[in-house]
Amino acid sequence: MQRLAIYDMDKTITAKPTWTRFLLHVARTRAPWRLALFPVIGLGGLAYLARGLDRAGLKRLSHRLLLGRALPPAEMAAVAEAFADLEMRSGVLQGALAQIAADRAAGYRLVMATASHHYYAEAIGRRLGFDDVIATNAKRDGQGHILSELEGENCYGPVKLHRIENWLAAEGLHRANCYIRAYSDHVSDAPLLGWADEAFAVNAHGPLAKLAAARGWSQLDWRRP
């Protein structure tokens, strides 16, 4: 029996969402003039709330404005590693660190599954000791430069569970032979939490807290000191 502990990242492991902070970190590091474009992303956020733009579209727009059309792999790796260092110093919840350590000690294979982009989520996951990272992927051009377009779908909601199932198959793991714990802060991960053997609503917002109470899922708050 393979034991897996699957963690969401933003606001589950980290205190705050990471995407916007990553974008600002890269813009300040590489091209400060791009910070003047940030209000346009705010307009994109309003379009998302009005359902005129989906999450993937908002991600493409913000990437294009603050990261540029294409980043060489070495440059992306450098800014991703620097951002991961910053996140480890001040952005990771102590309760998350304790649970990750407990799951590792109990023999669980640690898997991060996040809608955040793989190019920086992997760097954070590596520092936290995760064995595997499943995340949103960016397209690359013929020279390997990272583009603003997505490779496949945004790793969010039902897509995240589908990506995890594909990962299991690629690893030669059968669901019936796995015992799975899942941790998330957001109701969008209800498909994953319902699929897991143990579901943990962590730092849950209102809709997830209500759903967790109805379904008998454990509720944890890692935001407390």
Side-chain angles (χ1 to χ4, degrees):
M1 181 67 69
Q2 173 75 65
R3 291 192 287 182
L4 304 175
I6 303 176
Y7 288 74
D8 175 50
M9 184 174 74
D10 285 21
K11 298 182 74 175
T12 299
I13 294 173
T14 64
K16 299 176 182 178
T18 57
W19 175 236
T20 299
R21 290 185 297 113
F22 174 73
L23 292 173
L24 293 172
H25 166 76
V26 177
R28 281 192 293 263
T29 301
R30 295 185 68 254
W33 65 268
R34 288 189 178 276
L35 296 174
L37 301 175
F38 189 72
V40 181
I41 297 174
L43 294 176
L46 292 176
Y48 167 73
L49 293 175
R51 301 185 185 277
L53 188 68
D54 63 10
R55 281 178 173 264
L58 181 58
K59 191 168 287 186
R60 288 192 294 268
L61 172 68
S62 54
H63 178 131
R64 181 68 179 85
L65 291 174
L66 290 189
L67 302 188
R69 189 190 67 80
L71 261 73
E75 286 190 41
M76 180 62 87
V79 293
E81 296 291 335
F83 178 74
D85 286 338
L86 289 172
E87 199 65 14
M88 291 300 297
R89 285 201 291 271
S90 59
V92 176
L93 296 166
Q94 291 300 311
L97 291 174
Q99 188 62 54
I100 290 166
D103 282 340
R104 184 186 301 111
Y108 281 83
R109 181 171 176 176
L110 301 176
V111 182
M112 179 188 287
T114 175
S116 294
H117 262 293
H118 192 276
Y119 44 64
Y120 73 90
E122 190 277 333
I124 295 172
R126 185 170 4 98
R127 284 161 173 75
L128 291 168
F130 276 85
D131 301 294
D132 305 275
V133 174
I134 299 165
T136 299
N137 293 313
K139 283 187 178 180
R140 296 177 182 247
D141 65 16
Q143 289 72 49
H145 293 181
I146 293 94
L147 308 176
S148 60
E149 292 297 315
L150 303 188
E151 185 67 50
E153 296 182 87
N154 193 35
C155 187
Y156 180 82
V159 173
K160 182 185 287 189
L161 177 55
H162 183 60
R163 290 280 308 278
I164 292 169
E165 290 174 326
N166 286 345
W167 172 83
L168 283 177
E171 292 292 310
L173 298 173
H174 299 282
R175 178 64 183 90
N177 297 329
C178 295
Y179 186 84
I180 297 175
R181 288 179 169 178
Y183 303 86
S184 179
D185 73 290
H186 199 271
V187 72
S188 63
D189 278 328
L192 168 60
L193 295 170
W195 175 80
D197 297 291
E198 282 186 277
F200 297 90
V202 182
N203 315 325
H205 69 149
L208 179 58
K210 182 177 180 180
L211 183 62
R215 296 197 183 180
W217 296 339
S218 298
Q219 297 196 51
L220 305 173
D221 192 343
W222 293 340
R223 296 165 297 190
R224 296 174 182 173

